[in-house]
């Protein structure tokens, strides 16, 4: 039955493509938006993704999956979600039979990503998964394998890679307008406010290195255009009564080919939000590098990198929806998320072994 639905869905896309004015261009006036179901209705879904979906051009909020029945009336009233598009964690497999939902977006604690991303893939729907992708590289690979087996696309929610100033930094890694890159500083963290309880639990993928550290690791990789060859790390806490299982602060050094050094720091106890690149003939930076309110930057020759006007999550989801509609590679595939998690595991190993240098 599922294979028949997949055939009909894919045939519909192919038939639509047959009437395009030229290859690679889709007349979206003749296409429906992709229906998205959010799995998990915590802060990120409630305050950021759901409002951003109201700004998108190529996708729309069609369904929810929640274990909190008390939240359902609010979402029904606010977004007009049908009863038939509301699921819980026990029956979300039934989304396979729902033609109004094309994408399942996993927005759960990190420790649950693998389980529910695999369930989502097995429905035959495309999968978007929030960062960090999973707790281990092994779990990341399991998600990738499930999506490949079901012939669905997988995108990881790295909103920064869809943001215009970040894309400029990524391009400069290739063109090197300020000369050869020599050193990078990558920092992301926050202080104050209540920390979500699951972020303090090791088995749930808690800790600064997972929650905020993936920003710093991913930035190190996209700002150099390279993959690290070794890491050295230390982890600490100023509040051991709170951080009993996970790191409050992680500092690390990443060694890249060509002698490039990236100094990274991530924390639940400091406000950190900067990516700075030093090159042979100049410098440039983003500060903040990952704020919801916008990314800003400057260069040594006076260029100003101003924030874009549109919500980052809306741009991200439209990009990912277009990749599905146009049947082309997504911007941030599962392999990208897995690379960061493999580095997180090496950083944790280094810190656990007295800041021992660990090769990648």
């Amino acid at each position: 039955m599922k294979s028949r639905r997949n055939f009909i869905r894919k045939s519909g896309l192919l038939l639509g493509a047959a009437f395009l004015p030229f290859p690679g261009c889709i007349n979206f006036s003749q296409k429906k938006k992709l229906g998205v179901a959010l799995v998990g209705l915590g802060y990120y879904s409630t305050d950021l993704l759901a409002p951003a979906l109201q700004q998108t051009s190529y996708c729309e909020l069609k369904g929810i999956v929640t274990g909190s029945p008390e939240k359902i009336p609010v979402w029904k009233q606010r977004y007009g979600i049908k009863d038939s598009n509301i699921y819980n964690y026990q029956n979300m497999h039934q989304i396979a039979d729902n033609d109004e939902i094309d994408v399942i977006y996993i927005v759960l604690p990190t420790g649950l990503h693998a389980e529910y991303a695999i369930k989502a893939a097995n429905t035959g729907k495309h999968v978007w998964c929030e960062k960090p992708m999973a707790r281990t590289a092994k779990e990341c690979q399991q998600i990738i394998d499930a999506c490949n087996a079901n012939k669905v696309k997988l995108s990881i929610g790295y909103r920064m890679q869809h943001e215009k100033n970040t894309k400029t930094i990524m391009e400069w890694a290739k063109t090197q307008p300020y000369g050869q890159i020599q050193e990078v500083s990558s920092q992301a963290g926050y202080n104050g406010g209540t920390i979500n309880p699951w972020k303090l639990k090791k088995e749930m993928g808690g800790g600064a290195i997972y929650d905020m550290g993936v920003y710093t690791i991913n930035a190190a990789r996209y700002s150099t255009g390279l993959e690290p060859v070794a890491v050295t790390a230390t982890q600490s806490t100023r509040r051991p009564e709170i951080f009993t299982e996970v790191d409050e602060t992680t500092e690390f050094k990443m060694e890249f080919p060509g002698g490039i050094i990236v100094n990274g720091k991530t924390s639940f106890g400091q406000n950190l939000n900067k990516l700075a690149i030093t090159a042979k003939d100049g410098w440039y930076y983003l500060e903040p590098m990952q704020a919801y309110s916008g990314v800003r930057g400057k260069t040594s020759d006076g260029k100003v990198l101003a924030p874009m006007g549109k919500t980052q999550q809306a741009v991200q989801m439209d990009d990912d929806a277009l990749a599905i509609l146009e049947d082309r590679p997504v911007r941030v595939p599962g392999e990208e998320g897995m690379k960061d998690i493999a580095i997180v595991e090496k950083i944790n190993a280094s810190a656990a072994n007295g800041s021992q240098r660990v090769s990648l």
Side-chain angles (χ1 to χ4, degrees):
M1 184 71 177
K2 185 171 72 173
S3 61
R4 180 175 178 270
R5 284 193 299 273
N6 288 342
F7 172 78
I8 292 171
R9 175 167 51 84
K10 292 174 182 176
S11 297
L13 288 174
L14 290 172
L15 283 171
F19 295 94
L20 300 178
F22 53 85
C25 178
I26 290 181
N27 183 351
F28 287 105
S29 65
Q30 298 177 5
K31 296 287 294 184
K32 68 179 183 69
K33 293 182 176 182
L34 296 180
V36 177
L38 297 176
V39 181
L41 304 183
Y43 162 75
Y44 198 72
S45 284
T46 301
D47 289 13
L48 296 163
L49 292 177
L53 278 162
Q54 312 313 303
Q55 302 176 24
T56 56
S57 299
Y58 306 117
C59 50
E60 59 186 336
L61 178 59
K62 280 291 187 178
I64 54 174
V65 179
T66 182
S68 303
E70 70 277 8
K71 295 181 180 180
I72 293 173
V74 176
W75 284 72
K76 285 177 63 176
Q77 181 178 9
R78 186 172 297 168
Y79 298 111
I81 298 172
K82 300 178 183 177
D83 287 334
S84 58
N85 291 354
I86 298 172
Y87 300 86
N88 57 48
Y89 298 118
Q90 289 70 46
N91 67 12
M92 67 173 280
H93 63 278
Q94 295 175 6
I95 295 177
D97 302 312
N98 192 331
D99 291 336
E100 291 192 350
I101 296 174
D102 305 289
V103 177
I104 299 177
Y105 197 155
I106 308 301
V107 202
L108 293 167
T110 305
L112 300 175
H113 282 185
E115 178 183 354
Y116 287 95
I118 291 169
K119 286 183 179 182
N122 288 338
T123 68
K125 307 297 183 178
H126 299 287
V127 180
W128 297 346
C129 180
E130 253 315 301
K131 67 86 199 154
M133 184 175 174
R135 279 195 64 212
T136 66
K138 181 179 179 180
E139 288 182 347
C140 294
Q141 187 63 58
Q142 290 169 347
I143 296 171
I144 293 168
D145 291 344
C147 289
N148 287 340
N150 287 281
K151 297 180 171 56
V152 298
K153 291 188 184 296
L154 169 64
S155 297
I156 310 304
Y158 281 77
R159 60 190 167 87
M160 305 323 308
Q161 291 205 29
H162 301 264
E163 190 274 332
K164 71 179 184 71
N165 292 329
T166 305
K167 289 164 72 174
T168 295
I169 297 297
M170 297 172 77
E171 182 62 25
W172 286 351
K174 301 173 186 175
T175 60
Q176 299 197 349
Y178 297 90
Q180 185 177 359
I181 294 171
Q182 297 175 335
E183 189 174 357
V184 176
S185 173
S186 184
Q187 300 186 342
Y190 59 86
N191 186 28
T194 302
I195 298 174
N196 196 311
W198 72 260
K199 294 184 180 183
L200 301 174
K201 300 295 183 181
K202 184 176 181 179
E203 73 274 10
M204 296 303 287
I209 189 60
Y210 279 99
D211 186 48
M212 301 301 291
V214 290
Y215 285 115
T216 64
I217 294 166
N218 200 247
R221 293 175 51 240
Y222 64 62
S223 65
T224 61
L226 300 169
E227 299 299 332
V229 296
V231 297
T232 307
T234 60
Q235 293 179 327
S236 61
T237 178
R238 293 184 298 106
R239 296 173 286 176
E241 72 281 3
I242 297 175
F243 295 90
T244 59
E245 299 182 18
V246 299
D247 62 303
E248 180 180 14
T249 298
T250 296
E251 298 182 67
F252 57 89
K253 180 177 75 173
M254 302 173 70
E255 302 171 32
F256 284 79
I260 300 172
I261 297 297
V262 175
N263 292 300
K265 186 174 184 179
T266 184
S267 181
F268 282 153
Q270 288 181 262
N271 291 318
L272 306 167
N273 206 332
K274 186 173 183 178
L275 172 65
I277 297 93
T278 302
K280 182 176 180 294
D281 302 318
W283 50 260
Y284 46 98
Y285 67 82
L286 297 178
E287 186 178 22
M289 65 172 280
Q290 50 82 30
Y292 295 145
S293 58
V295 173
R296 297 167 175 82
K298 291 183 180 179
T299 70
S300 56
D301 57 350
K303 291 185 178 69
V304 175
L305 304 177
M308 62 184 185
K310 199 168 185 181
T311 304
Q312 295 160 6
Q313 289 84 357
V315 174
Q316 168 202 323
M317 290 187 286
D318 264 347
D319 283 352
D320 289 339
L322 278 170
I324 294 169
L325 290 167
E326 296 178 350
D327 193 20
R328 55 175 172 78
V330 300
R331 185 170 184 86
V332 188
E335 289 77 8
E336 177 76 354
M338 183 168 65
K339 288 177 181 177
D340 286 344
I341 298 305
I343 295 169
V344 167
E345 290 185 282
K346 297 295 187 181
I347 287 173
N348 284 337
S350 173
N353 290 281
S355 302
Q356 181 180 2
R357 183 179 183 271
V358 178
S359 298
L360 287 135

